[in-house]
Amino acid sequence: MLTLKGRKVLVGICGSIAAYKAAYLVRLLKLNGAEVRVIMTPSALSFITPLTLSTLSENPVYSQFVEDTESGVWNNHVALGAWADVFLIAPASENTIGKMANGICDNLLLATYFSAKCPVIVCPAMDLDMYQHPTTKDNLSRLQSFSNQVIEAAYGSLASGFIGQGRLAEPEDILRHVLTFFNQKAFLLHKKIVITNGPTVEPIDPVRFVSNHSSGKMGAALAHQAFLAGAEVKIVSGPVESSVFSTYTEVADVYPVTTAFDMLHQVDALQSWADIIVFAAAVADYSPKSVAAEKIKKSDSNIILELVKNPDIAAHCGAKKKPNQHFIGFALETVFSESVILNKLHSKNLDMIVANIFNRENPVFGSDQNEVRLYTTQQAPVSFSKQSKDEIAKHIWETYGKWYL
Ligand code: C5P
């Protein structure tokens, strides 16, 4: 069954009598599992109350750049656009369509539209003569030429008393479109994916450890994008910040681990379940030979910490990879070397390597952006310039799809 579980739908409502239908649309989206946020244009407020929409969406409704001038709380249009998997503007009025098509940005909904990177679906609603006007037609085709989708207005009786084309498409039809939209992109539908992620933490004593700067953001983005493409995802993750952990729980089953050995055991247990394993974890290569039972006392002399080699999880799994499984690894070298990358690809029996381009402009660890080059044994490498980790994750899956599906 198609579902919108885990999908983030931003609904934009414009000033049109059809705004009343948006309430039912929000309800349908919620019933189908979507997380919904609503933005209204100032004139939409005359048609339907934010209270109705906040109750139905279970989220605050936004209509102004600054909600409350006394407290100065600013609604961040960039964050709203970045949050959404799809921006659904329903009803889209003649006024808003015209502004969207011509770069006029005088309210929060329009600012969100111009800054959003997610796909946008526009559902016009207006009187029949307005809908037929050449300017309207022109503006709608202009919006389509910018890769927006348009759900045509429906035929029927209009608020003006006339009969013709201009009614907002029925909420059930809009819902069907949104379900199909997500499903069309489901090229990983039913794929079972395990992702190792984050750092591992190797204790020295009860209060100290050896680890690295991995934030887990890249693996979280891969999990999110795999989920959006229809996959079933399990994440085996070392300790990460709560903001990263909460993105996991929306899209995957999570198996928290601490050390490289914990991670190895957990991934080993999941290996036979997986169609694809992504080794995105920055596994500590070494761990203290012994863990002190009590905190090591400070003294005046230096101490020597003996480190032993940790298991290589990717290589361990790679050695028993089944022919129908695909494994994707990561590489991060401070000095980029193609031969080192290709050597990892072969020695760990991987199908693809995501090589992080590490330099001063792209620190990789902790950053919200990344720049990568993808390698396989079969094709010439493909590079993706610096962009958000979510965009990079999308490219990685699309390239995987092109190469292996
Ligand atoms: O050999 P190197 O650590 O550079 O290889 C990186 C790749 O191997 C990554 O995909 C990483 O997740 C994986 N790896 C692993 N276990 C280790 C070390 C690396 O799974 N102990």
Side-chain angles (χ1 to χ4, degrees), residues 347-360:
S347 64
K348 298 181 195 236
N349 199 16
L350 299 168
D351 300 281
M352 179 165 143
I353 280 224
V354 181
N356 292 295
I357 308 297
F358 180 86
N359 53 41
R360 202 169 296 174

Side-chain angles (χ1 to χ4, degrees), residues 285-306:
D285 289 322
Y286 296 93
S287 56
K289 187 173 182 187
S290 58
V291 180
E294 303 300 335
K295 183 180 171 192
I296 299 169
K297 291 263 177 290
K298 187 163 61 177
S299 72
D300 288 338
S301 50
N302 295 337
I303 60 165
I304 291 174
L305 192 61
E306 192 178 350

Side-chain angles (χ1 to χ4, degrees), residues 196 260 263 278-285 309-315 328-333 340 344 348 350 353:
T196 74
M263 187 174 273
V278 182
F279 298 94
V283 183
D285 289 322
K309 188 95 181 68
N310 269 339
D312 190 310
I313 303 168
I328 302 172
F330 273 73
L332 189 150
E333 302 295 330
V340 169
K344 280 192 216 295
K348 298 181 195 236
L350 299 168
I353 280 224

Side-chain angles (χ1 to χ4, degrees), residues 323-393:
N324 58 349
Q325 292 183 311
H326 288 137
F327 290 178
I328 302 172
F330 273 73
L332 189 150
E333 302 295 330
T334 47
V335 178
F336 194 86
S337 158
E338 197 155 279
S339 62
V340 169
I341 290 163
L342 293 174
N343 185 39
K344 280 192 216 295
L345 190 68
H346 291 291
S347 64
K348 298 181 195 236
N349 199 16
L350 299 168
D351 300 281
M352 179 165 143
I353 280 224
V354 181
N356 292 295
I357 308 297
F358 180 86
N359 53 41
R360 202 169 296 174
E361 285 73 46
N362 190 45
V364 184
F365 279 155
S367 170
D368 290 327
Q369 297 191 308
N370 202 2
E371 178 183 348
V372 300
R373 194 168 301 157
L374 309 186
Y375 287 85
T376 172
T377 43
Q378 320 290 338
Q379 279 88 1
V382 187
S383 296
F384 293 103
S385 61
K386 193 169 170 192
Q387 52 202 297
S388 77
K389 285 187 172 169
D390 240 22
E391 289 295 324
I392 291 286

